[in-house]
Amino acid sequence: MAKARATSARIEETVVTRGAGKEFILSVAGPFDLAADRGKLSVDFPGGAVDHMDEIFNGGKVYLTRTVPKGHWAVIDRAEARAHSLLRAPLNDPELVLRQVAAIRGVSDQGTTTIDGRPAHLYRGTLDYRTLTLGLVDEHRERLDAVRKAMGGGLPSSARVWVDEEGRPARVELSAALNTQTVTATMDLTDFGKPVEVTVPDPSRTIPTDAVSGVLPG
């Protein structure tokens, strides 16, 4: 994953949650300079009470559009953010997904294939519980601990990574299963090396916060 972290890429991620006969799809997209720790992402959740959010990452801060007051942004320290759902990165941060991928266990070589017409090599493995819950708030981790015990001590998980000819991840797919629910997060990385410019909101239109929650920010 080091080669991805040393450059920029366009991020396109979907998180699909299935359970009780229902399916929910959240999508995240935008350019991100992983080396410079800056980027801009749009987050969409069709059918949600709030169905869209924009995010700007820059200088160790993350800015999120607010609905009230309109035209303003919440701002939080990137290092302080935590996620509230399984396989959701805090604030949809692609860097955390790459950290999870780097910790895959039991890796097996699945051979050569293609991603969007590009040659890629496929690897498969699993995530241990610590990696699976990376970035989660303590209270949600505690709830998952109870679920894990009820399921015999583990949460079934799988990971697949498609690596391009330059040794960079072209696609990452992480999946986990609970008693009545499955979650699959798939992240595509394209347009490696393109410059990423961001515009930080004016301080007069930002509202500092030390925590965020809800479907859109994770």
Side-chain angles (χ1 to χ4, degrees), residues 2 7 27 32 35 41 48 56 72 85 101 119 151 157 187 198 200:
T7 186
S27 62
F32 209 102
L41 301 174
I56 295 173
H72 283 65
S85 300
V101 171
M151 295 178 67
S157 69
M187 186 171 77
V198 302
V200 174

Side-chain angles (χ1 to χ4, degrees), residues 53-107:
M53 180 180 70
D54 293 315
E55 298 178 311
I56 295 173
F57 292 69
N58 191 68
K61 304 285 187 181
V62 185
Y63 303 83
L64 307 91
T65 50
R66 291 174 55 98
T67 55
V68 179
K70 188 175 181 180
H72 283 65
W73 300 70
V75 57
I76 184 172
D77 286 341
R78 186 181 182 187
E80 298 299 319
R82 294 294 180 267
H84 298 78
S85 300
L86 188 63
L87 290 184
R88 290 295 307 279
L91 306 176
N92 307 293
D93 192 336
E95 177 67 26
L96 184 131
V97 178
L98 294 179
R99 287 174 58 194
Q100 289 177 306
V101 171
I104 290 175
R105 294 187 172 190
V107 178

